[in-house]
Amino acid sequence: MQRGRFIVLEGGEGAGKSSNLHCLQQMLEARGLPVLRTREPGGTPLGEALRTILLDSVYAGMELKAELLLMFAMRAQHVAQVIRPALEAGTWVVSDRFTSSSYAYQGGGRGLDNAAIAWLEHFVQDDLRPDLTLLFDTPVDIGLARMHSRGEPEDRIEHEGRAFFERVRNHFLAQAAAAPERFVVLDAAQSLDAVQAAMRDAVECFFAPLWTD
Ligand code: Z5A
């Protein structure tokens, strides 16, 4: 049986990851592929419990290293319980965020050491990496305006200021520039229809060699 493929949607607040996830799932299923949709923080009962802690403003004083370690505790469970078994069973996994978010938020945003994140990535994932990362890139002002238009209370991380989100965006873009063979950057400031069309083209193009075999 052929191993499934692992696609991750990344980006800042309000970039439109969640809005595009369902469209991606439908596109893959239309090809007859089994698809599992998941998210981080979250993805398992333990991961969802850790998500609640991570985003709760009650923990406003959370140590930066505690935040990083909770992200990877959540991920260890997610990889072992959900992602790896699904891929081995031939299922395609599409995830709203994964380890690039730890590099962008805890590394770029918080200023934690990249080498420590890389060590945790290897410890938790071994050689598991996304086959393709779709980076939904939007100017910070647009993303924050979309986020605020939902009228929901801000979570612990969303309380951060504009400079933090600029560092996160720049770090995502730097990751994409450093690994163009597995990242596609999408202009997420466009209309949702235009973003979805660009996403479909990017995915078709990326997996064309696999699908024409
Ligand atoms: N985090 C971390 O720090 N480290 C890690 O390792 C991981 C995560 C894995 C929760 O993530 C937090 O966890 C997040 C990063 C941190 N921190 N913050 N802040 P999350 O993914 O659950 O939360 P989020 O990024 O804040 O989600 P979001 O704001 O919902 O963003 P989104 O999913 O990219 O956007 P959306 O829900 O699809 O769209 C937002 C709104 O914009 C919505 O009303 C849409 O209808 C609208 N929208 C979307 N696209 C468009 C277009 N193209 N035009 C117009 N309007 C649009």
Side-chain angles (χ1 to χ4, degrees):
M1 180 199 305
Q2 233 196 15
R3 172 188 163 272
R5 295 294 189 273
F6 184 22
I7 306 177
V8 175
L9 285 68
E10 295 278 11
E13 278 50 53
K17 302 173 302 299
S18 314
S19 305
N20 287 289
L21 204 59
H22 186 58
C23 168
L24 176 59
Q25 179 177 13
Q26 282 181 325
M27 172 190 172
L28 297 172
E29 284 175 347
R31 284 194 159 269
L33 297 165
V35 178
L36 178 90
R37 203 171 76 192
T38 186
R39 70 169 179 179
E40 290 200 349
T44 65
L46 175 64
E48 292 296 326
L50 290 172
R51 176 188 177 92
T52 303
I53 293 171
L54 277 160
L55 301 185
D56 193 336
S57 300
V58 160
Y59 305 114
M62 186 183 292
E63 272 297 314
L64 304 186
K65 289 178 183 172
E67 180 182 270
L68 175 67
L69 291 170
L70 286 175
M71 290 292 178
F72 273 96
M74 169 276 298
R75 188 161 296 131
Q77 192 69 29
H78 194 198
V79 166
Q81 189 181 336
V82 173
I83 300 175
R84 207 184 284 282
L87 293 172
E88 282 168 6
T91 300
W92 286 52
V93 177
V94 294
S95 184
D96 190 341
R97 298 194 183 279
F98 193 61
T99 307
S100 287
S101 282
S102 298
Y103 281 106
Y105 284 82
Q106 282 65 54
R110 304 289 197 209
L112 289 175
D113 185 12
N114 244 30
I117 301 174
W119 187 88
L120 286 165
E121 180 181 36
H122 183 69
F123 180 61
V124 164
Q125 299 167 217
D126 292 314
D127 59 352
L128 177 74
R129 301 288 180 279
D131 294 284
L132 170 63
T133 298
L134 298 166
L135 175 57
F136 292 80
D137 177 59
T138 178
V140 169
D141 285 342
I142 293 181
L144 291 179
R146 285 182 189 163
M147 187 182 91
H148 290 134
S149 72
R150 284 190 302 211
E152 292 166 8
E154 289 183 344
D155 65 40
R156 189 181 61 84
I157 300 177
E158 287 167 350
H159 275 313
E160 292 297 331
R162 197 202 143 93
F164 174 86
F165 293 113
E166 291 288 359
R167 291 196 299 278
V168 168
R169 181 188 187 202
N170 290 337
H171 203 288
F172 270 130
L173 289 170
Q175 290 181 59
E181 71 288 355
R182 60 187 176 83
F183 271 84
V184 171
V185 182
L186 299 166
D187 175 4
Q190 307 173 86
S191 70
L192 192 53
D193 282 350
V195 178
Q196 290 187 346
M199 177 182 72
R200 279 195 216 94
D201 287 350
V203 172
E204 288 288 350
C205 179
F206 189 87
F207 291 108
L210 191 70
W211 288 337
T212 49
D213 275 353

